[in-house]
Amino acid sequence: MAPRRVVQLSLEQPTHAVCVVGVEMVVDVHSDVPKGAKTFGAAGSPGVEVSVLYDPQRVTRPSGKTRWPLDASVDVVVSVDTASKDLDDLTVRVSYFGEHESRALGHATLYLTGVDVSLDVDTDRTGTVRRSRGDKKTWRWGPEGYGAILLVNCDRDSHTSMRPDLASRQLASMADLQDMSPMVLSCNGPDELFDSHKLVLSVPLSDSKRVGVFCSRGGNFLSDYKQVLGPRQLSYKVERQPGEQEVRFYVEGLAFPDADFLGLVSLSVSLVDTGTLPEAPLFTDTVVFRVAPWIMTPSTQPPLDLYVCSVLDDHGSNEKFLDDMSYLALKADCKLIICPWFENRNDRWIQDEMEFGYIEAPHKSFPVVFDSPRERGLKDFPYKKILGPDFGYVTRKSLFSGPSSLDSFGNLDVSPPVTVGGQHYPLGRILVGSSFPEASGRRMAKVVLNFLFAQRVQAPVELYSDWLSVGHVDEFLSFVPTSDKKGFRLLLASPSACLKLFQEKREEGHGEAAQFDGLDNVIKRSINEMLADRTLQSDNLYAQKCIDRNREVLKRELGLTERDIIDLPQLFTQKDSYAEAFFPDMVNMVVLGRYLGIPKPYGPIIDGRCCLEEKVRSLLEPLGLRCIFIDDYLSYHKMMGEIHCGTNVRRQPFPFKWWHMVP
């Protein structure tokens, strides 16, 4: 609690003071005392609360007439409950008495002017600003928590600017106000008081580059709103109009939480007496905001938009693949968005370029695309084509080194909501691929990892993906939704499940059935040949060990059991000490609700059906999922990617409000 302001009294002349509604002020009754005075009494006019604070160990509360001993352990505290209509319209009178005299030896008069000053934000997280006299300086998580929330104004509402709204000190449009959090300054009191007092809004230097404040003068034109606080302005003298009791402000976030920013910013208003040298603040009210984190959505959330690239290269166009995606989007009732080849410059790996997420406050939510550090043909697409009204943009790029393959966002995923050892993660946990923990190797850029960890609400988990040539987590895992209590299954690529399936088919007399049957200009490999290939066996023993290591981490960090995991048959081959998918990697699928777009594996044909497809159907379709196998062999697989790598999905946000969790 801030120390109470002290006002000294005088026997010679009245004292004048300003008292803020609801704020206690100490009246010094000890400094100017009549000779012989031993006791005193204090009374206030209507509207003034007068109370006496004392140490009961040293002072006995008087009975009868309220005369208190002039003891150092006795303080008089006053407060007012409403703003004054005129200057000095409230009074406190202190009378001093001798040991036994009933007649006062002297009097001191304090004239008070009550002023109502309060800075208020949406502390209750209801979407509206309400007056609060509670703790506005503290921000607390949880369903019973409190504290205001700020959105990073990272969309682009302006039709004339190419930059996000936060890059401008001008209001982009009237719609831009919806991306900001309202803040109200109450300032009720006699107009004459503000001839000698001023209200100053301020932001700490450390927060000034992370927050912008616009003052509203109540009009419907952009010129009625001006930025008064921000990176180049730390304070603002409030331009209060005569009779004005409220001044409205709009606050925008300028930066996401990061390694050097916990996400909390504060703003203060001070009532300053301009008649003193130096000018003295009489009262300060402070509010705290937390900047909303960027939140990823897992593949179990319903799809809204399916993104895919149109390409034209030496193999021809991917028109058939686009047709298959169109069919899939139609079945899943989501919108298909095709990035044309002249915008992607024949870069088909749209999953690697960006990740969709969202930000949310009680009054507003909008999607935000996270642009990866990857610098390929699609590098301009998120900024130039996705950033727009109510669609934000954020990126992190290393200043010290170029991106590695692990910086692509096929190496970034997030689990569905999970509970681990009593700790609930209602927004899931972010998953990123990294190098072997005990060895050097490729890792995701530190600036990206720092950003992900700083969001706090999806506590990241690092997995081992550096054993793969491309090195992405989507090469060995995926999540699919289910309608049971668990709500999802983790799918893992499994060499051992594949070899076991092939052994079963050989024992059933199908050893001559061949992998890649149905593909032209591709060497066929019979089941017998694959099972006899010691190099292939060795490669997949190693791949299985790497996946098993991740399996244990995922079980531990996501609170999973074996019942929550489904092994999809898959084989890998080693090239230059790194693994690649031997046939199209089925776990690298696109999940659109219950419809799964799965790479067609071209497995051995048995009784007219691909045994790999049949195995996957038997594992997933009993869960209510629909498996649609799509040929991506030439257009994606041969280029070391699959369907998930070549697609991207914007999904519905979680219904759960992130501020209700306790990270």
Side-chain angles (χ1 to χ4, degrees):
M1 179 182 293
R4 298 183 180 93
R5 186 160 61 96
V6 178
V7 175
Q8 291 188 340
L9 297 182
S10 170
L11 296 171
E12 302 298 325
Q13 58 187 7
T15 302
H16 301 264
V18 173
C19 190
V20 177
V21 172
V23 178
E24 293 181 338
M25 183 170 62
V26 174
V27 177
D28 182 357
V29 298
H30 305 290
S31 297
D32 194 2
V33 179
K35 186 177 180 180
K38 300 295 183 180
T39 62
F40 75 93
S45 63
V48 181
E49 178 73 22
V50 179
S51 57
V52 177
L53 303 181
Y54 64 97
D55 182 356
Q57 301 297 321
R58 300 178 58 184
V59 177
T60 301
R61 182 183 179 90
S63 59
K65 294 182 178 180
T66 309
R67 294 183 183 176
W68 292 87
L70 279 168
D71 187 284
S73 300
V74 176
D75 286 319
V76 174
V77 175
V78 300
S79 62
V80 300
D81 57 14
T82 188
S84 294
K85 289 183 169 43
D86 301 296
L87 291 176
D88 299 334
D89 63 352
L90 302 170
T91 58
V92 175
R93 185 177 176 87
V94 177
S95 302
Y96 296 92
F97 302 90
E99 186 79 48
H100 302 293
E101 294 90 338
S102 59
R103 184 176 180 181
L105 299 178
H107 304 280
T109 302
L110 171 63
Y111 287 105
L112 292 175
T113 302
V115 60
D116 189 4
V117 177
S118 181
L119 193 62
D120 291 288
V121 291
D122 183 17
T123 308
D124 298 329
R125 304 169 186 167
T126 61
T128 58
V129 177
R130 297 176 182 173
R131 185 68 178 267
S132 172
R133 297 199 185 278
D135 183 4
K136 294 182 278 189
K137 294 183 180 180
T138 304
W139 202 97
R140 292 193 176 175
W141 296 85
E144 305 301 322
Y146 54 85
I149 293 165
L150 204 58
L151 296 176
V152 176
N153 195 10
C154 59
D155 68 337
R156 184 176 63 208
D157 290 312
S158 171
H159 297 291
T160 59
S161 173
M162 288 298 294
R163 302 186 301 170
D165 296 340
L166 57 80
S168 174
R169 298 189 69 207
Q170 305 297 320
L171 196 68
S173 70
M174 296 303 292
D176 196 23
L177 294 174
Q178 302 302 314
D179 302 334
M180 303 184 192
S181 296
M183 181 171 70
V184 177
L185 169 60
S186 301
C187 48
N188 190 14
D191 289 336
E192 297 84 357
L193 175 70
F194 295 97
D195 294 337
S196 57
H197 295 75
K198 64 182 179 180
L199 292 163
V200 178
L201 194 68
S202 61
V203 59
L205 176 62
S206 59
D207 292 344
S208 62
K209 63 182 179 180
R210 294 158 179 154
V211 65
V213 179
F214 286 80
C215 182
S216 163
R217 301 320 300 177
N220 294 318
F221 299 97
L222 299 184
S223 58
D224 294 319
Y225 300 83
K226 67 175 183 178
Q227 191 179 81
V228 295
L229 293 181
R232 291 182 291 275
Q233 190 168 355
L234 303 183
S235 64
Y236 164 66
K237 178 184 175 182
V238 178
E239 298 171 356
R240 178 186 180 274
Q241 304 300 317
E244 190 171 29
Q245 297 185 11
E246 282 189 354
V247 181
R248 294 189 68 85
F249 298 90
Y250 291 88
V251 188
E252 63 176 348
L254 303 181
F256 281 95
D258 216 319
D260 60 347
F261 176 39
L262 295 177
L264 295 174
V265 295
S266 65
L267 297 169
S268 299
V269 68
S270 295
L271 178 65
V272 178
D273 185 349
T274 60
T276 62
L277 289 176
E279 295 180 347
L282 304 181
F283 166 77
T284 298
D285 202 15
T286 300
V287 296
V288 169
F289 290 91
R290 179 175 288 279
V291 176
W294 179 78
I295 301 172
M296 283 182 66
T297 48
S299 57
T300 51
Q301 285 297 106
L304 298 173
D305 300 321
L306 172 63
Y307 287 78
V308 65
C309 289
S310 170
V311 293
L312 184 63
D313 54 26
D314 295 340
H315 298 285
S317 73
N318 63 340
E319 185 176 351
K320 176 61 170 63
F321 183 79
L322 298 181
D323 289 343
D324 290 336
M325 291 298 106
S326 179
Y327 171 78
L328 195 62
L330 181 65
K331 298 296 289 186
D333 193 25
C334 68
K335 182 180 179 181
L336 178 65
I337 299 173
I338 298 176
C339 174
W341 64 267
F342 56 84
E343 288 181 359
N344 62 55
R345 290 171 283 190
N346 275 335
D347 178 5
R348 69 195 68 210
W349 310 116
I350 197 166
Q351 179 64 230
D352 289 341
E353 181 60 38
M354 59 190 186
E355 185 67 52
F356 289 110
Y358 68 96
I359 57 176
E360 183 175 22
H363 69 283
K364 181 73 180 285
S365 173
F366 59 80
V368 176
V369 61
F370 187 9
D371 192 1
S372 77
R374 173 184 182 270
E375 296 292 331
R376 299 275 291 275
L378 277 160
K379 65 180 182 178
D380 297 327
F381 179 71
Y383 192 86
K384 290 185 176 180
K385 297 299 179 180
I386 295 181
L387 170 63
D390 285 342
F391 212 127
Y393 172 92
V394 65
T395 190
R396 289 293 183 272
K397 299 185 188 298
S398 176
L399 300 177
F400 306 106
S401 62
S404 76
S405 177
L406 271 66
D407 294 323
S408 297
F409 283 172
N411 195 34
L412 175 61
D413 209 329
V414 65
S415 79
V418 292
T419 299
V420 187
Q423 173 68 46
H424 188 41
Y425 297 93
L427 304 174
R429 299 191 70 177
I430 285 174
L431 307 174
V432 296
S434 188
S435 59
F436 198 73
E438 292 82 18
S440 61
R442 297 173 297 173
R443 295 192 73 199
M444 183 173 281
K446 189 172 179 59
V447 290
V448 176
L449 284 174
N450 287 344
F451 175 85
L452 296 172
F453 276 92
Q455 307 313 303
R456 297 192 62 183
V457 295
Q458 293 180 301
V461 177
E462 288 193 70
L463 301 173
Y464 176 42
S465 67
D466 195 31
W467 61 279
L468 290 155
S469 182
V470 175
H472 295 175
V473 294
D474 67 356
E475 297 178 75
F476 62 86
L477 67 80
S478 184
F479 295 93
V480 294
T482 61
S483 58
D484 56 12
K485 183 178 179 181
K486 187 66 181 180
F488 71 92
R489 293 292 187 275
L490 166 64
L491 309 183
L492 289 179
S494 176
S496 61
C498 188
L499 294 173
K500 180 181 178 182
L501 175 65
F502 285 170
Q503 288 167 352
E504 291 173 353
K505 297 306 177 185
R506 182 176 65 178
E507 292 170 2
E508 293 171 3
H510 303 292
E512 293 305 315
Q515 182 69 41
F516 305 122
D517 196 0
L519 279 173
D520 296 330
N521 302 317
V522 178
I523 298 174
K524 312 299 186 289
R525 299 289 303 276
S526 71
I527 290 177
N528 289 334
E529 289 174 331
M530 290 186 288
L531 292 178
D533 188 333
R534 293 187 177 181
T535 300
L536 187 63
Q537 297 287 321
S538 175
D539 289 350
N540 281 280
L541 178 61
Y542 170 73
Q544 188 64 59
K545 287 181 178 179
C546 294
I547 294 171
D548 285 345
R549 182 181 183 90
N550 287 308
R551 186 190 202 94
E552 294 309 309
V553 173
L554 289 161
K555 287 167 64 176
R556 181 179 69 247
E557 299 296 335
L558 301 184
L560 305 179
T561 67
E562 285 297 324
R563 292 189 300 274
D564 305 319
I565 302 172
I566 295 176
D567 293 307
L568 296 191
Q570 185 63 47
L571 294 181
F572 297 87
T573 58
Q574 288 285 113
K575 292 184 180 180
D576 300 324
S577 301
Y578 290 106
E580 300 175 5
F582 177 56
F583 54 78
D585 189 352
M586 291 185 289
V587 81
N588 193 285
M589 64 179 69
V590 61
V591 179
L592 302 177
R594 66 188 186 94
Y595 292 93
L596 311 180
I598 305 173
K600 184 175 180 62
Y602 285 101
I605 302 298
I606 298 174
D607 297 331
R609 296 173 181 263
C610 169
C611 67
L612 290 173
E613 291 185 19
E614 289 301 294
K615 181 63 176 179
V616 170
R617 291 185 195 277
S618 71
L619 293 170
L620 300 182
E621 292 193 343
L623 298 173
L625 300 169
R626 174 77 183 277
C627 299
I628 300 174
F629 291 92
I630 295 171
D631 179 10
D632 75 342
Y633 190 85
L634 290 177
S635 54
Y636 292 88
H637 173 72
K638 289 295 287 183
M639 298 180 181
M640 299 179 64
E642 308 289 356
I643 292 177
H644 187 261
C645 307
T647 59
N648 212 316
V649 184
R650 183 173 75 89
R651 302 180 183 276
Q652 287 184 16
F654 286 102
F656 181 87
K657 306 305 180 184
W658 63 264
W659 52 87
H660 286 166
M661 71 176 292
V662 180

